[in-house]
Amino acid sequence: MDLTPDQAALAVEHHDCPNCDAPAGSACRTRGGKTAAKYHTPRFVLVPALREELEIPVPADRHPAQEPTHLAPQPQRRPAPPGPDHRHDSAHPRRAAPGNTLANRRSPT
């Protein structure tokens, strides 16, 4: 039984993926959460007509290698504004303000 790529994708996506836990109706995911370029083997062998195939590519309309559109975007964290102890001159203690005694000391040789 030969299936078109779209029919194969629908048949594979009828099952949950045991490898990446992608739910039925969704393409497989990479470890980074993007859409995988191919369906995972443990998933497509669940379809008897596809057991002999070596790989099943994800159709282009499912946007392989992109973030899934159905997941909510993660809010980006903004760095906290500098507090009152924030040093503007330098973060290195030996290059601190001229009045710093550590900056004037030399290490013993």
Side-chain angles (χ1 to χ4, degrees), residues 3 5-15 43-44 46-47 49-50:
L3 299 175
D6 286 334
Q7 290 173 332
L10 289 173
V12 171
E13 290 181 8
H14 193 75
H15 303 278
R43 187 178 192 185
F44 73 75
L46 297 172
V47 181
L50 301 174

Side-chain angles (χ1 to χ4, degrees), residues 2-61:
D2 291 326
L3 299 175
T4 67
D6 286 334
Q7 290 173 332
L10 289 173
V12 171
E13 290 181 8
H14 193 75
H15 303 278
D16 293 340
C17 181
N19 200 39
C20 66
D21 296 325
S26 178
C28 289
R29 303 280 173 228
T30 64
R31 289 185 183 131
K34 295 184 177 188
T35 303
K38 300 180 292 186
Y39 291 102
H40 294 117
T41 305
R43 187 178 192 185
F44 73 75
V45 297
L46 297 172
V47 181
L50 301 174
R51 285 190 180 145
E52 300 299 318
E53 299 295 325
L54 298 177
E55 62 184 39
I56 304 295
V58 173
D61 66 344

Side-chain angles (χ1 to χ4, degrees), residues 48-84:
L50 301 174
R51 285 190 180 145
E52 300 299 318
E53 299 295 325
L54 298 177
E55 62 184 39
I56 304 295
V58 173
D61 66 344
R62 293 183 180 59
H63 309 289
Q66 293 182 3
E67 295 289 334
T69 56
H70 66 278
L71 297 177
Q74 297 294 321
Q76 294 187 359
R77 292 182 48 173
R78 292 190 175 140

Side-chain angles (χ1 to χ4, degrees), residues 76-96:
Q76 294 187 359
R77 292 182 48 173
R78 292 190 175 140
D85 295 330
H86 181 73
R87 295 170 57 174
H88 295 280
D89 53 344
S90 176
H92 193 279
R94 300 234 183 236
R95 296 186 196 129

